[in-house]
Amino acid sequence: MMLQQNRITCRVLFLSVSLLFGTGEGLSSSTSSSSFATKPTVRLNENIFDGPLPESVDVLIAGGGLGGLATCIGLRNRGIDAHVIEASPKLLRGSTGTGIMISPNGFSALDSIAACGNVNLSESMRSFGAKIGEQHIRMTDQGTGHVDKEVTFGSYFDKYGMDQYNIGWARAHEVLARAVPPEVVYTDCKLESFESMADETTGKKNSAVKVTLEDGRTIATSLLIGADGFGSKVRQMLAGDRKCKTRFNNQLLWNAILPTDQFPNGPLHKEGGVEFINCGGEGQAVLIFDSGEGQTAWYLTLMEKDAPDIVTKAIADETFGGFGPQRGIKSALKEAFAKWPMALECLEATPEDKIFERRQADRPKLLKWSSRRRKGAGGRVVLMGDAAHPMIPSLGQGTMVTWEDAAELAASLAPLSSSDQPFDSKGVPKTVRGFVKRRAKRCAMVQQASREQRMGKPLPKFFPLKICTMLQRQSRMAIMFGHTSPGAKNPAPSASDQS
């Protein structure tokens, strides 16, 4: 009975935290001597996304990240003239040492997005990712680092009909970019404002949206989609400053990606393996895994109250965050994780300037992603993805629900498009309202669950409360993973999953 209880406890803990970040960037190592499989590097010409801005388009998407590109693919596959404006000078921005774990609901969304198109997005992601196989969890004593409980699990194929895959954020971005015509993506386009436009013929208000960029250029559209991420300018203009406050959860994260053969004592995980160590303290944990293409990703977390002095000072000085953290951070982290040898191996193998650091944060819940008022251009501006529901990455669902948004939005707008008729602009506001109604509450649930279940958070000690918490987390995970996007089949094994 006790062994079964321990296995259940570890299983729920793993569901809650060990898959939170999914993977690394998936950068290839063509000369790796590791036994792990490598794949050829595939790069796009980063300078091709710079065509002239059109005067008007059916749908304009602000943001060329994973959500914006996925939405563009889904809309264009359904005959809608969708275009993307991206604030960065280049669309492909390279590695930040972070990645995503594609769970069944993510693959369902990708299948829905790719419907009517000629690119199988799910198989493309699988071809670069690492199929999650063995998942090894250790519960350790905070004072000594001694392993108190140890459990190993396999994949989720039997339960969900498909395996989960780790793929780097940058690699996933490249896969989506290859599926978008380069002439419909415009870089170095920073959104300044938007306003409602009246029909030139009838004078009817709210017939379109005029989008103005910082350099003064303008573009008219029937619908503006704010897919511009955590710091969304569209959200700020639509929802106001109160709904744009950053909410830190007091947990810090350091992560990196490096070739698996760079670890002097050999790989720290099996092929397709995940290693998770709960350090016994509040919010202190170690996560190491195969990120595909001969790469290993690692993550270390600490609560701010337990952070080294140089980190506390950097937070106070507002210099904390990004690559190349505070000089001396490796030594400070080695001291903080001295009882956990795997953490020390990760730090020893990684150059200090390749470590990425961040404060975990989200923003207040937002249920109104659009507005029929003037500030919302009569319902012709809508948010999605991190712009609508930025999340703590503790459940690995940020990108998954973003792709769900993209799939739902594409399917919702599809009836407004016809091969022999212009885009039905009049139907946009009503369609947007239906989209928000179907998506907002689910995303708010996932956002709240992600905030509550931060990495390394212990279960309650009171046994009845522990059981209730475990059952609640299992139920939430089933709801998250079990979502099927419009037009996608229920989870079924793919050729890659069966291999």
Side-chain angles (χ1 to χ4, degrees):
M1 178 67 181
M2 183 60 69
L3 176 60
Q4 183 179 14
Q5 175 189 335
N6 290 344
R7 288 180 65 86
I8 293 174
T9 300
C10 290
R11 181 71 166 187
V12 173
L13 179 64
F14 181 80
L15 283 170
S16 302
V17 295
S18 67
L19 292 179
L20 78 170
F21 302 108
T23 184
E25 293 300 335
L27 303 180
S28 297
S29 177
S30 58
T31 60
S32 172
S33 60
S34 168
S35 62
F36 291 82
T38 60
K39 295 166 186 169
T41 300
V42 176
R43 291 295 181 193
L44 293 175
N45 180 353
E46 297 186 355
N47 298 316
I48 61 177
F49 300 94
D50 58 1
L53 201 66
E55 293 183 2
S56 64
V57 297
D58 290 344
V59 176
L60 184 65
I61 302 164
L66 297 180
L69 293 184
T71 304
C72 185
I73 294 168
L75 292 173
R76 296 194 68 85
N77 281 349
R78 290 158 176 80
I80 298 173
D81 185 32
H83 294 241
V84 176
I85 55 173
E86 166 57 41
S88 299
K90 292 184 177 181
L91 180 67
L92 304 180
R93 286 155 280 175
S95 171
T96 59
T98 56
I100 55 175
M101 179 273 295
I102 307 181
S103 52
N105 55 315
F107 281 122
S108 176
L110 289 173
D111 289 343
S112 176
I113 291 164
C116 308
N118 56 12
V119 177
N120 189 324
L121 296 176
S122 291
E123 286 303 318
S124 294
M125 296 292 180
R126 288 186 179 102
S127 72
F128 288 105
K131 182 168 67 174
I132 299 174
E134 183 174 284
Q135 307 156 6
H136 188 197
I137 304 170
R138 298 178 181 90
M139 308 288 290
T140 67
D141 179 81
Q142 183 181 17
T144 65
H146 176 75
V147 178
D148 294 329
K149 301 174 186 177
E150 191 169 3
V151 181
T152 299
F153 299 106
S155 72
Y156 296 108
F157 180 86
D158 292 338
K159 185 172 183 179
Y160 296 106
M162 63 177 68
D163 285 299
Q164 300 171 28
Y165 281 74
N166 290 338
I167 184 171
W169 191 101
R171 181 65 83 209
H173 198 215
E174 290 176 0
V175 168
L176 295 175
R178 288 200 301 272
V180 178
E183 65 271 16
V184 303
V185 181
Y186 315 95
T187 57
D188 205 16
C189 292
K190 298 179 181 178
L191 188 146
E192 174 66 27
S193 64
F194 61 79
E195 59 183 315
S196 174
M197 291 177 62
D199 188 286
E200 295 181 356
T201 304
T202 65
K204 185 177 180 180
K205 297 180 179 179
N206 301 326
S207 294
V209 184
K210 177 183 177 182
V211 176
T212 302
L213 306 182
E214 287 187 359
D215 60 12
R217 289 180 294 169
T218 63
I219 184 170
T221 182
S222 296
L223 174 64
L224 171 63
I225 299 174
D228 47 342
F230 189 99
S232 172
K233 182 72 174 288
V234 179
R235 177 181 175 125
Q236 193 278 326
M237 291 186 286
L238 193 65
D241 293 338
R242 187 173 65 87
K243 287 293 186 179
C244 291
K245 293 181 178 179
T246 299
R247 301 190 306 178
F248 296 105
N249 78 336
N250 301 317
Q251 188 175 46
L252 306 173
L253 168 69
W254 292 266
N255 62 277
I257 296 167
L258 59 157
T260 302
D261 60 6
Q262 191 168 312
F263 291 86
N265 297 322
L268 299 180
H269 56 78
K270 294 182 179 180
E271 185 167 0
V274 179
E275 299 286 337
F276 176 71
I277 302 172
N278 187 313
C279 299
E282 172 69 17
Q284 184 173 8
V286 181
L287 179 61
I288 305 166
F289 48 80
D290 182 0
S291 62
E293 303 181 88
Q295 303 284 310
T296 291
W298 62 259
Y299 298 81
L300 306 179
T301 62
L302 280 174
M303 299 306 292
E304 291 189 13
K305 63 182 179 61
D306 301 320
D309 290 341
I310 60 171
V311 172
T312 301
K313 183 178 184 300
I315 293 174
D317 295 341
E318 298 184 350
T319 59
F320 184 84
F323 270 117
Q326 321 311 312
R327 182 172 297 179
I329 190 61
K330 279 182 63 170
S331 297
L333 289 176
K334 284 181 180 180
E335 183 176 347
F337 287 87
K339 302 180 184 69
W340 296 275
M342 292 183 76
L344 297 180
E345 286 194 57
C346 290
L347 290 166
E348 188 63 36
T350 310
E352 194 165 70
D353 62 356
K354 299 300 182 182
I355 299 174
F356 191 85
E357 63 182 15
R358 73 185 99 167
R359 299 175 74 187
Q360 306 277 44
D362 63 7
R363 284 186 164 180
K365 178 178 71 175
L366 182 66
L367 296 178
K368 294 183 178 180
W369 301 357
S370 185
S371 175
R372 281 183 280 180
R373 298 181 179 180
R374 181 179 179 183
K375 65 179 181 180
R380 294 184 178 276
V381 179
V382 66
L383 302 173
M384 66 160 292
D386 284 350
H389 43 74
M391 298 180 186
I392 304 292
S394 57
L395 298 179
Q397 286 295 298
T399 300
M400 302 304 99
V401 292
T402 293
W403 285 344
E404 289 177 14
D405 289 347
E408 182 72 41
L409 195 50
S412 298
L413 291 168
L416 304 183
S417 174
S418 172
S419 59
D420 57 355
Q421 295 291 333
F423 182 66
D424 181 13
S425 179
K426 294 181 180 179
V428 167
K430 182 179 180 181
T431 299
V432 166
R433 291 196 298 273
F435 161 73
V436 174
K437 184 177 181 180
R438 289 186 294 273
R439 293 296 304 159
K441 289 185 179 180
R442 170 178 168 80
C443 292
M445 179 276 290
V446 179
Q447 183 187 39
Q448 181 61 27
S450 298
R451 185 170 183 83
E452 292 174 356
Q453 294 171 227
R454 65 172 173 263
M455 187 174 180
K457 183 178 181 180
L459 287 164
K461 294 183 179 180
F462 182 54
F463 185 71
L465 183 57
K466 175 188 288 188
I467 294 298
C468 289
T469 302
M470 289 161 51
L471 292 174
Q472 181 190 48
R473 292 184 180 182
Q474 284 185 319
S475 175
R476 282 177 170 176
M477 195 63 67
I479 292 172
M480 293 176 200
F481 280 20
H483 181 82
T484 301
S485 292
K489 296 179 180 179
N490 290 327
S494 71
S496 299
D497 289 325
Q498 293 175 323
S499 61

